[in-house]
Amino acid sequence: MTRGTRMIVGAVVALAVVAGLGWLIFGRGESGPVVNVYSARSHYGTEAVFKRFTEETGIRVEILGGEPGALVDRIAAEGERTKADLLITTDAGFLWKATEEGLLAPVTNAALETAVPENLRDAQGRWYAIALRARTVMRSTERVTEAQAPATYAALGDARWKGRLCLRTSNNVYNQSLVATLIADRGEAAAQRILESWMANDPIILGSDTEVLEAIAAGRCDVGLTNTYYLGNKLREDAAFPVAPVWADQDAGGTHVNVSGVGLTTAATHREDAIRLMEYLLTPEAQRLIAEGNSEYPVLEGVPSAEWIRGWGDFTADTRPIVRAGEFQAQAVQLMNEVGWK
Ligand code: FE2
């Protein structure tokens, strides 16, 4: 293996938290069919879904975990010699980047095209969403009623939230993708006005979505903006965690929903088995495992979300193509810098 940590899962599932540091192997032995995956979801812990795939097919899955940007760069640097058959990463911005760099191959596949709505996959089949995460307004359930909460992204800039707003840093791709969609949908000037109104509220800027949620719970701020699964994972541990989502923009545009996705690399050497894994990831069984594992929303219609987030209710999602999160990413970063978002 290229790097240190190498494990046989099953025996040492508990060690999965270190998956981000090296290869994680599902299945035993060195021989037989294998699919190599570079996965930026490894920090969410062992995904039971790969183990199930191996059990059902006998195909080993070897996973190299890492940060999304680093994995994309690594596939690019490795070129034809890359081990990666599949790239699995969070955020449409990174999937888009991988296609821009020519790292992902078109996969025309009826099962995948049926399972994944058009707005959640690449038009050429170079990536398909496998899990969904809304990025929306969060409120303290102790200090902000549903009726008082900001009902739109723009409303986070309302003066009554001055000194009461927590945001994550601007160098984070989740925020960059959200801002990219604001620019794509409303134009740069309108997006700029929204961001300036947020900055005028003197937001407390924190290093992670989890920190934003914890700051709301602790009373450092009353509202914020995070991905839904971070709250879902909190609620799985503590049903009384005093934060709730507010579904933003229900009257226009819908709540921003980003993806984790999978794409076949152009250099893939285990093409057929890799596509089989892609197909498996979009089956009802796999979708349930993925959604429950990290409190995300399934892509496949009819698969329930985790029981501990069902109380959030249904919401209208933004269904415009998520690929624009990548297309407008550079503009978003520039705009965030311009308005002084730290
Ligand atoms: Fe995340």
Side-chain angles (χ1 to χ4, degrees), residues 153 186 248-257 315-320:
Y153 295 106
R186 306 169 199 225
D249 289 20
Q250 293 301 278
D251 295 334
T255 300
H256 173 75
V257 172
F315 65 97
T316 302
D318 179 350
T319 53
R320 289 164 285 197

Side-chain angles (χ1 to χ4, degrees), residues 40 43-44 90 133 135 168 172 174 209 227 229-230 294:
H43 65 290
Y44 298 143
T90 51
R133 57 272 301 283
R135 189 164 190 79
R168 186 174 182 165
N172 166 254
Y174 302 148
D209 279 20
N227 285 354
Y229 57 89
Y230 290 104
N294 191 41

Side-chain angles (χ1 to χ4, degrees), residues 102-152:
L103 306 179
L104 300 180
V107 173
T108 308
N109 180 291
L112 295 173
E113 284 163 17
T114 305
V116 183
E118 238 172 292
N119 62 304
L120 301 173
R121 55 179 156 93
D122 176 59
Q124 296 175 44
R126 293 171 296 180
W127 56 264
Y128 294 84
I130 60 167
L132 305 178
R133 57 272 301 283
R135 189 164 190 79
T136 196
V137 173
M138 294 288 165
R139 67 174 174 98
S140 158
T141 53
E142 292 167 337
R143 295 178 303 282
V144 182
T145 65
E146 243 180 296
Q148 291 167 337
T152 63

